[in-house]
Amino acid sequence: MQLHRSLLAAVALATGLATTATAAVETHTIDPVHSTVSFSLRHLVSKFTGGFTKVSGTIQVDRDDLTKSSVDARI
């Protein structure tokens, strides 16, 4: 009976830790209506500019460990 209680406590603790780790990640969606991507290109003496209006994607921020953050953008 003691083994079952220990196992149940370990599972509950692991589930709580997994939930806490997941809760630290923030997901933000890129707003395609209010976002643009622009660029400029210089070649010899000329300069060209351009841009894309169709943009979508998500940004995931892990404030506890920024190396686990990511950006997924589609142009």
Side-chain angles (χ1 to χ4, degrees):
M1 187 64 158
Q2 183 65 24
L3 178 62
H4 292 291
R5 285 185 186 174
S6 297
L7 182 60
L8 182 61
V11 169
L13 179 62
T15 303
L17 290 176
T19 303
T20 303
T22 305
V25 177
E26 302 171 17
T27 301
H28 304 276
T29 303
I30 296 173
D31 183 4
V33 175
H34 297 101
S35 301
T36 59
V37 174
S38 60
F39 62 90
S40 66
L41 175 69
R42 184 178 300 197
H43 181 68
L44 298 176
V45 294
S46 300
K47 184 176 181 181
F48 303 95
T49 59
F52 302 96
T53 56
K54 294 184 179 180
V55 180
S56 65
T58 58
I59 301 169
Q60 292 186 337
V61 180
D62 186 344
R63 295 194 186 271
D64 295 333
D65 185 2
L66 290 177
T67 62
K68 294 181 181 176
S69 299
S70 65
V71 175
D72 176 30
R74 292 180 198 94
I75 303 172

